[in-house]
Amino acid sequence: MTITESRTAEERKRDVLDRLERERDIWVASADADGLPCLVALWFVWDGESVWLSTRITNPTGRNLRDGGRARLAFGDTQDVVLIDGEVRTYGGTEVPAAAIEAFRAKTGWDPREDSASYAFFQVRPHAVQALNGVHEMRGRHVMADGVWVV
């Protein structure tokens, strides 16, 4: 096993913010009231404070996000992962802030409201973020706790 030097907390935070700007898809994990898990990849937008997602309120992910009020989001594979735990706020298509819609459209080229009235928007405010690139980075992986960057 090759051990490489771990990134500093500042480097990890910078890498997380870069991925939030650059990536197009994010894994969204949610669960229903009985604890049945659901995992899907969705397009997303980062506005500097929150992750914005959109999916139909009628599907399991939409219902779970709305009813449960929290989610775990993830990028990457097991050797370069970012995990984001956050609180969810749900917006109907007519309630979502215009800036969020425009940012979503600019990044993805898609406005879900044009497809169906059943699409909702979900604002995920991170309260914990972990970033690690290999086992050697397990220590120091928490770069946000209680909604505050640790660096």
Side-chain angles (χ1 to χ4, degrees):
M1 177 165 72
T2 303
I3 303 295
T4 60
E5 190 171 317
S6 295
R7 295 171 293 171
T8 66
E10 292 85 3
E11 291 169 325
R12 291 181 200 214
K13 178 184 175 184
R14 186 178 60 242
D15 290 346
V16 167
L17 292 171
D18 176 62
R19 290 184 84 172
L20 284 165
E21 291 294 331
R22 170 175 49 90
E23 299 276 351
R24 184 173 179 163
D25 302 310
I26 196 164
W27 287 103
V28 180
S30 63
D32 68 14
D34 294 326
L36 182 65
C38 185
L39 179 66
V40 298
L42 296 175
W43 285 348
F44 79 97
V45 171
W46 170 250
D47 70 4
E49 294 181 4
S50 299
V51 173
W52 287 88
L53 312 164
S54 185
T55 192
R56 292 177 191 258
I57 200 72
T58 55
N59 70 28
T61 297
R63 289 190 306 269
N64 294 349
L65 293 173
R66 178 194 63 204
D67 299 343
R70 60 190 181 145
R72 172 167 273 186
L73 311 176
F75 293 117
D77 60 37
T78 59
Q79 293 303 305
D80 186 14
V81 68
V82 173
L83 298 174
I84 301 169
D85 293 307
E87 303 301 319
V88 178
R89 183 171 178 190
T90 303
Y91 293 87
T94 60
E95 304 162 330
V96 64
I101 293 168
E102 289 311 311
F104 202 86
R105 186 189 329 241
K107 183 173 183 180
T108 67
W110 178 55
D111 182 343
R113 300 169 310 157
E114 295 173 358
D115 279 353
S116 171
S118 68
Y119 276 95
F121 286 80
F122 304 90
Q123 179 187 28
V124 182
R125 285 195 169 272
H127 66 78
V129 177
Q130 299 176 57
L132 62 148
N133 192 335
V135 173
H136 66 283
E137 284 198 352
M138 289 294 285
R139 176 170 286 137
R141 69 186 177 273
H142 298 277
V143 295
M144 178 185 278
D146 298 321
V148 178
W149 295 101
V150 298
V151 292

